Amino acid sequence: MKRVISSLSSPRTSENRKIYKKSSEARGRMFGATRDDLKNVEPPESNEEHFHPLASQTYYMQKLIETCLEHHIPLHIEQAPMGRYGLAKLKASGYLAEYEAYMQSFADAYPIDVNPIIPGYEDDEFGDVSHLNEKGQIRFTEELRKKYFE
């Protein structure tokens, strides 16, 4: 609600239209600032000791899966890569095992393909702590292409 109230005194309509136009021209891709000097890439989750999914996350996943099954849409759930450093912290805390068990629960409950394993990538494949840069995107795309189209 804070953003809605602040928009009354400081509307961002013009700025939002520019962002929308740029995204539309890039077919939905949003380009953020990337860094080449990242070290020890770790997502914000790496400071958590346990994985606790929101009920809304589970509901949303279930509805997506059920919609795909209902409409005979093939479904493959993959995990986005994380930095090796952050992944090691998640493993040490037990968070990673809890997350993987959560993802596996969807494969156990539905006849779908779920890969619960998060791949670890090198620091130089990230543009920030959560998003791949071009090098990482090319690698991940190639891995998915080999897995599903060869």
Side-chain angles (χ1 to χ4, degrees):
M1 196 62 188
K2 183 179 179 183
R3 298 274 186 224
V4 172
I5 291 171
S6 69
S7 73
L8 297 174
S9 61
S10 303
R12 294 175 37 110
T13 304
S14 177
E15 184 178 340
N16 289 341
R17 285 191 174 137
K18 288 177 188 172
I19 292 169
Y20 177 79
K21 184 176 187 276
K22 185 177 179 180
S23 174
S24 181
E25 289 169 353
R27 297 186 345 215
R29 184 169 176 204
M30 296 294 291
F31 297 93
T34 60
R35 295 179 48 194
D36 294 329
D37 62 342
L38 291 175
K39 298 288 183 240
N40 299 329
V41 173
E42 61 179 296
E45 297 89 353
S46 64
N47 294 319
E48 301 290 327
E49 291 185 20
H50 297 283
F51 175 72
H52 299 288
L54 297 173
S56 59
Q57 289 172 308
T58 301
Y59 176 82
Y60 185 69
M61 283 291 289
Q62 290 169 334
K63 290 301 172 192
L64 281 171
I65 292 167
E66 290 165 6
T67 299
C68 287
L69 291 172
E70 180 181 327
H71 295 282
H72 307 288
I73 299 168
L75 179 61
H76 306 281
I77 298 177
E78 288 288 340
Q79 308 307 310
M82 285 188 178
R84 292 187 193 283
Y85 178 81
L87 208 51
K89 284 181 72 175
L90 290 173
K91 184 175 184 176
S93 72
Y95 180 103
L96 189 58
E98 294 167 350
Y99 176 80
E100 290 173 354
Y102 174 73
M103 293 308 298
Q104 184 61 43
S105 73
F106 294 111
D108 296 341
Y110 298 96
I112 60 169
D113 175 31
V114 177
N115 177 5
I117 307 301
I118 299 173
Y121 279 22
E122 301 301 327
D123 291 345
D124 69 347
E125 295 175 292
F126 287 86
D128 63 29
V129 298
S130 298
H131 299 94
L132 297 171
N133 61 18
E134 186 175 6
K135 179 180 178 182
Q137 293 166 10
I138 289 169
R139 176 181 170 187
F140 190 51
T141 300
E142 186 59 30
E143 288 172 358
L144 291 176
R145 182 178 291 125
K146 284 180 180 176
K147 184 172 183 177
Y148 292 109
F149 297 104
E150 286 186 1

